[in-house]
């Protein structure tokens, strides 16, 4: 791992309010730019990445893999922001406990925006498990390789109430044979797939979520916008702590306002300096 390496065959892991910024590995075979985490592979073991951000972890070497690698256990990612990262492939590599009957890997109220993979997919969900993506923004991610897709899964995957817009890949949805990706009540602009996509209800290009994320000077979260599409705030995400989280493009809705607040912060700091 470029920043975090944790392997415990009997343990579990919870990362909370973590900012990963400008992290990359210098290992001779570059892999796992921000974190490698492996826990006991049981449904009862936690492998959580909560209310955290990964931003600008860029590796331009010839073969850097996996910005975030989570292996084993029950994987949960609520209110995660992963934006402006670059690697060779599989930005999000998750291998949860394999259970085809219950969800063991879940993304909710999270943003994945402006990431670049020079070869393989953004989401690589590899275990024979059941996956869900709910109320997420997946925006403007770029993939060069023609095979697989922005979201590639080896298990049945449900995507609900999410915004999947302006991603550049041959396939947006790639599913291994015998499994299905099901999207419902989403806003999408492309549904390119390899033949295993099911669409339920109406899919429209009408909304984008203003999501709450952890924000620091380096790991800020002002990435979620697509043209003039209206922003809505999911009810389930409205109770986050205001000191550490704010809505993307809602608090800093204009660049001039952001600059004004920055200047105000500088002047306030200057007043505190000894004369």
């Amino acid at each position: 791992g470029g920043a975090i390496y944790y392997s415990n065959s009997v343990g579990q892991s919870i990362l909370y309010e973590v900012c990963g910024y400008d992290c990359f590995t210098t290992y001779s075979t570059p892999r796992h730019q921000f974190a490698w985490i492996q826990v006991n592979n049981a449904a009862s073991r936690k492998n959580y990445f909560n209310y955290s951000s990964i931003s600008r972890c860029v590796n331009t070497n010839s073969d850097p893999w996996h910005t975030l690698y989570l292996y084993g256990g029950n994987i949960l990612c609520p209110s995660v922001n992963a934006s402006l990262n670059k690697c060779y492939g599989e930005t999000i590599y998750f291998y949860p406990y394999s259970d085809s009957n219950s969800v063991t890997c879940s993304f909710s109220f999270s943003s994945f925006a402006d990431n670049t993979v020079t070869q393989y997919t953004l989401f690589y969900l590899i275990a024979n498990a059941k996956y869900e993506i709910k109320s997420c923004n997946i925006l403007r991610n770029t993939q060069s390789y023609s095979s697989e897709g922005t979201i590639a899964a080896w298990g049945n995957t449900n995507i609900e109430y999410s915004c999947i817009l302006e991603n550049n890949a041959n396939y947006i949805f790639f599913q291994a044979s015998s499994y299905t990706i099901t999207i419902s009540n989403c806003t999408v602009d492309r549904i390119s797939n390899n033949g295993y996509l099911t669409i339920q209800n109406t899919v429209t290009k009408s909304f984008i979520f203003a999501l709450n994320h952890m924000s620091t000077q380096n790991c800020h979260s002002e990435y979620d916008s697509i043209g003039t599409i209206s922003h809505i705030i999911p009810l389930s995400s409205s109770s986050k702590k205001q000191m550490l989280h704010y809505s993307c493009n809602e608090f800093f809705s204009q660049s001039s306002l952001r600059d004004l607040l920055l200047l105000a912060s500088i002047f306030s700091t200057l007043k505190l300096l000894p004369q």
Side-chain angles (χ1 to χ4, degrees):
I4 299 172
Y5 180 91
Y6 175 80
S7 180
N8 189 329
S9 61
V10 297
Q12 54 190 340
S13 169
I14 298 175
L15 295 182
Y16 181 79
E17 291 184 357
V18 175
C19 169
Y21 173 76
D22 194 23
C23 301
F24 61 92
T25 180
T26 58
Y27 186 60
S28 58
T29 302
R31 295 177 184 269
H32 324 307
Q33 307 309 306
F34 169 65
W36 158 291
I37 297 175
Q38 184 170 354
V39 304
N40 180 258
N41 194 19
S44 61
R45 309 307 284 173
K46 297 177 181 178
N47 199 351
Y48 295 175
F49 189 64
N50 299 351
Y51 311 121
S52 298
S53 293
I54 306 173
S55 179
R56 294 181 174 85
C57 291
V58 175
N59 196 326
T60 58
N61 292 340
S62 60
D63 191 23
W65 292 78
H66 313 146
T67 301
L68 178 63
Y69 181 107
L70 301 184
Y71 186 101
N74 188 1
I75 298 177
L76 293 181
C77 289
S79 296
V80 168
N81 169 44
S83 301
L84 297 170
N85 302 292
K86 183 177 181 180
C87 67
Y88 180 81
E90 301 166 7
T91 300
I92 305 296
Y93 182 109
F94 285 179
Y95 194 111
Y97 174 77
S98 295
D99 186 344
S100 59
N101 296 315
S102 60
V103 174
T104 56
C105 182
S106 176
F107 303 87
S108 59
F109 306 107
S110 295
S111 297
F112 305 89
D114 300 306
N115 298 289
T116 300
V117 285
T118 56
Q119 286 293 317
Y120 295 96
T121 183
L122 174 70
F123 287 91
Y124 195 69
L125 311 175
I126 188 60
N128 175 19
K130 192 172 182 179
Y131 302 93
E132 68 176 12
I133 299 174
K134 291 186 175 182
S135 303
C136 292
N137 290 330
I138 303 172
L139 310 172
R140 298 182 304 273
N141 300 287
T142 300
Q143 170 195 339
S144 300
Y145 191 57
S146 60
S147 183
E148 299 180 359
T150 301
I151 301 170
W154 275 254
N156 290 324
T157 304
N158 291 322
I159 305 174
E160 301 177 353
Y161 301 102
S162 294
C163 310
I164 307 171
L165 300 169
E166 294 190 5
N167 298 287
N168 184 9
N170 187 45
Y171 295 133
I172 303 301
F173 307 97
F174 180 93
Q175 195 76 358
S177 60
S178 77
Y179 303 109
T180 300
I181 290 179
T182 302
I183 60 175
S184 59
N185 297 307
C186 294
T187 177
V188 301
D189 53 5
R190 292 182 60 199
I191 56 171
S192 56
N193 64 89
N194 64 325
Y196 301 97
L197 178 69
T198 298
I199 301 174
Q200 295 181 347
N201 303 326
T202 302
V203 178
T204 62
K205 186 179 178 181
S206 59
F207 68 88
I208 183 173
F209 284 127
L211 297 175
N212 292 317
H213 295 306
M214 173 185 176
S215 182
T216 68
Q217 180 177 356
N218 290 329
C219 289
H220 61 91
S221 54
E222 192 191 354
Y223 307 130
D224 298 343
S225 62
I226 295 289
T228 59
I229 297 178
S230 300
H231 294 75
I232 62 174
I233 301 176
L235 293 177
S236 298
S237 70
S238 61
S239 61
K240 303 293 186 299
K241 292 186 293 184
Q242 297 303 310
M243 290 297 291
L244 294 174
H245 304 79
Y246 61 78
S247 298
C248 302
N249 282 316
E250 180 188 15
F251 188 80
F252 292 144
S253 58
Q254 298 178 7
S255 59
S256 58
L257 175 59
R258 180 174 64 250
D259 296 339
L260 179 61
L261 290 173
L262 178 60
L263 286 173
S265 176
I266 292 172
F267 289 137
S268 296
T269 303
L270 289 175
K271 289 179 180 179
L272 296 176
L273 294 176
Q275 300 297 319

